[in-house]
Amino acid sequence: MTDEDVDAALAGVGPRLRHLRTRRRLTLTEVSERTGISVSTLSRLESGVRRPSLDLLLPLAKAYRVPLDDLVGAPQSGDPRIHPKPVRRDGMIYIPLTRDASGVQAFKLILPPRQEEKRIGQRVHEGYEWIYVLSGTLHLALGDSLTTLTAGEAAEFDTRTPHSIASAGPQPVEIIALFSPQGERIHIRDS
């Protein structure tokens, strides 16, 4: 790799960082809080004023959940496998099944058993979600409506409708879920 190749790769980092941040609808301040990198440094990285270094790119790759290779524009290795790193949130386990952060994100979710029949808090956000039940029985609440889905059933819904999902009983539920970028941000990233 020549010096020109290195310079070209590094010049592309800023636009990639800005694209990732804006696609996820994050502010520089939100990224700063997640990475510990100052807002001014992030701004200089995105504009190309600051040369990216490994100590800056590693926390950004982790925050955006993308391989470091994606940030620097490294050529594909030809290996199509994804090496998911599960995320635990609100008692659920999210296992990413996609690596491209710019579009719809796919996850396998494992929802814990429910011992009591209390109502689960519903969320509202821009976007769409798709759910496919792999095993177990799922309760899908959409506003005041409650739908029970079993293995092999699927659902699609507009997430501007208040919604929540939970196991329908004492067994865990495994599902495949597709989130639009807004949904992925709400369910996986926000607290």
Side-chain angles (χ1 to χ4, degrees):
M1 184 175 257
T2 67
D3 288 345
E4 291 84 21
D5 293 335
V6 171
D7 289 341
L10 292 177
V13 170
R16 282 187 205 90
L17 290 172
R18 179 173 285 126
H19 175 76
L20 281 169
R21 182 178 59 77
T22 57
R23 283 289 292 176
R24 292 176 181 249
R25 297 180 186 218
L26 295 170
T27 65
L28 286 170
T29 301
E30 290 169 323
V31 175
S32 175
E33 291 167 356
R34 293 174 185 194
T35 62
I37 300 170
S38 73
V39 171
S40 63
T41 297
L42 291 169
S43 176
R44 292 192 321 262
L45 279 171
E46 286 187 4
S47 65
V49 173
R50 172 131 187 206
R51 188 174 172 102
S53 61
L54 197 54
D55 62 323
L56 296 173
L57 293 177
L58 286 173
L60 287 165
K62 183 178 179 184
Y64 291 130
R65 275 190 30 268
V66 297
L68 185 60
D69 288 353
D70 288 0
L71 292 184
V72 296
Q76 291 290 329
S77 68
D79 185 354
R81 290 176 293 183
I82 295 170
H83 304 284
K85 293 186 173 45
V87 174
R88 185 176 293 273
R89 177 145 190 237
D90 298 329
M92 291 186 254
I93 299 172
Y94 293 79
I95 302 167
L97 302 175
T98 50
R99 66 175 126 208
D100 182 14
S102 62
V104 172
Q105 295 287 292
F107 293 87
K108 177 179 179 182
L109 276 71
I110 303 170
L111 288 71
R114 254 176 88 205
Q115 305 301 333
E116 49 192 76
E117 285 297 320
K118 69 177 186 175
R119 189 160 176 93
I120 306 283
Q122 296 185 333
R123 296 176 182 244
V124 176
H125 54 86
E126 292 294 318
Y128 286 85
E129 290 183 23
W130 301 263
I131 294 171
Y132 179 80
V133 180
L134 296 169
S135 67
T137 305
L138 178 79
H139 275 166
L140 168 63
L142 291 171
D144 293 331
S145 172
L146 181 65
T147 302
T148 301
L149 301 164
T150 58
E153 292 187 300
E156 170 186 14
F157 54 93
D158 184 326
T159 57
R160 291 174 292 190
T161 301
H163 61 281
S164 65
I165 58 173
S167 169
Q171 300 297 321
V173 177
E174 293 187 25
I175 65 172
I176 298 292
L178 301 177
F179 297 134
S180 62
Q182 302 89 342
E184 190 263 350
R185 179 176 174 222
I186 293 295
H187 289 286
I188 311 300
R189 302 268 179 295
D190 288 354
S191 39

